[in-house]
Amino acid sequence: MNDEQRRAPYDICPRPEPIDVPAQTPLAPPIYPAAVYQCADTDEAERLLAGSEAGYVYSREGHPNGQMLAEKCRQLHGAERAVVCSSGMAALSAAVLALVEAGDHVVASSQLYGRNLQLLTSELGRMGVRSTVVDTCDVTATAQAIDDKTRLIVAETISNPLLRVADVAALARHAHARTALLLIDNTFAGPTVCRPIEHGADLVLESLTKIMNGHSDVLLGVLCGSAAHWQRVHTAVAVWGLSPSPFDCWLATRGIGTLALRAERAGENAQQVAQFLVTRGEVEAVHYPGLIDHVDHELARRQFQRGFGSVVTFTLRGGRAAADAFIRAAKQIPFCPSLGDLSTTLTHPESTSHRTVSPLVREGLGIRGGTIRLSVGIESIEAIREALAEGLSAL
Ligand code: PLP
């Protein structure tokens, strides 16, 4: 028996010896789940940790799958820099933690995603940051809300659930006139529909959880922006622990590969769904920026490069009871409070995203008991129309 045979299994380090990987490049990107990387010597460790040499040491500071995905997002948005975070909320946290401090002021759109609004108002309030909530579709009111301490203005390209469109160029002009930065949450549009940086936004955020990944199997976010702010952003992600998992990044890199095709098909379907719903007597109102009578249609045509997005909101006659009957009968359309999946899904803002908003404010936003938000998928248009007709037949 030689030495190797004599050693008990637990004497052998469980980590396999590295093997020489052949030089061919795999077509699919590898996954690097390593939490930590080996340093050749002390000098290399210092250089890597100081960032003077490119490479990886500890995956909270960065890893290949995060970098690959960030690079894809950076290109899609035509940005100088991009960083992927563990969720859309983490991406907003990264922006705020990097760029805002006690004594500063932020302006938040009244139509932001609820958790974004909570972060920018009550959470930042606890840290000594003042906030003003304003309808950012009213550019004059937004300009009046900016003061000498305003550091950040946050709006959504397409808002939830009534799909109002922000005039990014006008908001950017007002922000820059007062040395504030404009951050646009582009989640409802995605970069195939709108690239806010081209219209003057300083920072753009996407919840990659939605159409960017498109398969409802990861929670991720990305923040894109200019090099000028990036050292602080990188520090915020690493220090506050906002980094994503390599496996999630690998999945989303795969999802983004089909983004253009999925977004085009879902957008075409959404346009047809909106036109179909307009013809139905059970429906009181249809909101979709691609409809010529949508209040922001002309702005959307100017600002969007392809299509009008894949979300359609409509209000049924008959209030909450009608919404319940529709949801029960539309068996082919899952009720999921999210968006951007391959398949068509629906949600009910009054009982989900806006349940904590007062009835008066909800009414002001145009959200009623009968309001349904549809995230249109990539099925055939005939299948989607049939699924909707099945729901409407219960009314
Ligand atoms: N922004 C918008 C418009 C959203 O709808 C959401 C989530 O629904 C977020 C940001 C937050 O993203 P995540 O759920 O990935 O944290």
Side-chain angles (χ1 to χ4, degrees):
M1 199 184 267
N2 63 27
D3 275 0
E4 192 170 322
Q5 288 163 331
R6 234 188 314 274
R7 259 191 268 153
Y10 47 80
D11 285 339
I12 301 167
C13 174
R15 206 160 290 290
E17 288 291 310
I19 56 161
D20 284 334
V21 178
Q24 292 93 351
T25 308
L27 185 56
I31 307 177
Y32 297 85
V36 67
Y37 293 76
Q38 299 178 35
C39 304
D41 52 41
T42 52
D43 286 343
E44 189 192 64
E46 274 194 346
R47 288 195 304 274
L48 288 169
L49 286 165
S52 59
E53 181 176 321
Y56 309 101
V57 180
Y58 194 63
S59 68
R60 180 166 31 71
E61 310 274 332
H63 51 73
N65 293 107
Q67 198 179 340
M68 271 183 247
L69 179 57
E71 177 56 16
K72 263 267 168 260
C73 297
R74 188 194 69 72
Q75 290 169 2
L76 284 169
H77 272 292
E80 287 176 1
R81 296 281 188 277
V83 66
V84 176
C85 300
S86 54
S87 66
M89 291 310 303
L92 178 61
S93 303
V96 160
L97 291 165
L99 303 169
V100 176
E101 56 192 40
D104 285 347
H105 173 247
V106 298
V107 174
S109 164
S110 54
Q111 296 180 43
L112 284 183
Y113 168 62
R115 291 289 195 205
N116 280 352
L117 205 51
Q118 194 179 354
L119 190 156
L120 293 167
T121 55
S122 44
E123 291 301 304
L124 281 191
R126 290 175 45 238
M127 299 177 186
V129 177
R130 287 179 304 116
S131 56
T132 302
V133 176
V134 66
D135 176 6
T136 46
C137 290
D138 183 341
V139 175
T140 311
T142 309
Q144 284 165 356
I146 303 172
D147 67 30
D148 290 343
K149 293 284 185 186
T150 306
R151 183 73 180 126
L152 208 56
I153 299 172
V154 185
E156 277 179 41
T157 319
I158 304 177
S159 73
N160 174 35
L162 292 199
L163 315 177
R164 293 295 312 272
V165 179
D167 186 339
V168 177
L171 292 175
R173 269 196 309 279
H174 285 294
H176 299 157
R178 304 290 292 272
T179 66
L181 299 172
L182 177 65
L183 188 164
I184 293 289
D185 181 339
N186 200 51
T187 301
F188 272 54
T192 62
V193 172
C194 186
R195 296 172 14 129
I197 288 174
E198 284 177 356
H199 300 279
D202 301 283
L203 297 148
V204 59
L205 178 161
E206 299 269 3
S207 165
L208 300 177
T209 314
K210 313 295 196 262
I211 198 164
M212 292 282 267
N213 174 53
H215 294 70
S216 303
D217 50 12
V218 301
L219 200 70
L220 283 176
V222 69
L223 183 69
C224 303
S226 67
H229 312 297
W230 229 252
Q231 189 49 47
R232 293 277 315 125
V233 170
H234 175 76
T235 303
V237 173
V239 170
W240 291 82
L242 307 171
S243 331
S245 110
F247 182 62
D248 286 355
C249 291
W250 182 84
L251 275 175
T253 302
R254 190 161 83 152
I256 279 183
T258 55
L259 171 69
L261 282 175
R262 286 185 288 102
E264 188 175 358
R265 168 76 172 233
E268 285 167 8
N269 280 348
Q271 181 76 39
Q272 295 207 41
V273 161
Q275 286 163 358
F276 165 73
L277 290 170
V278 164
T279 66
R280 297 292 302 221
E282 304 89 340
V283 177
E284 189 178 281
V286 183
H287 307 271
Y288 183 65
L291 293 178
I292 47 173
D293 61 354
H294 186 278
V295 58
D296 299 317
H297 179 67
E298 279 311 315
L299 168 62
R301 279 170 61 98
R302 276 203 314 277
Q303 194 169 265
F304 295 170
Q305 69 259 4
R306 196 179 304 167
F308 298 91
S310 53
V311 179
V312 178
T313 299
F314 60 99
T315 298
L316 294 166
R317 296 183 201 285
R320 177 91 167 236
D324 271 326
F326 174 84
I327 291 167
R328 266 195 307 274
K331 293 195 195 66
Q332 305 304 314
I333 309 179
F335 177 3
C336 303
S338 189
L339 62 138
D341 189 67
L342 293 172
S343 44
T344 301
T345 60
L346 65 79
T347 187
H348 179 251
E350 188 192 66
S351 61
T352 60
S353 54
H354 291 72
R355 72 190 182 288
T356 57
V357 175
S358 77
L360 203 66
V361 174
R362 264 201 313 257
E363 186 63 30
L365 289 171
I367 300 164
R368 313 248 164 83
T371 303
I372 304 266
R373 192 191 82 196
L374 209 57
S375 170
V376 181
I378 62 168
E379 306 93 330
S380 74
I381 186 62
E382 292 77 21
I384 301 172
R385 260 199 233 112
E386 220 170 89
L388 287 167
E390 195 175 17
L392 293 171
S393 70
L395 305 181

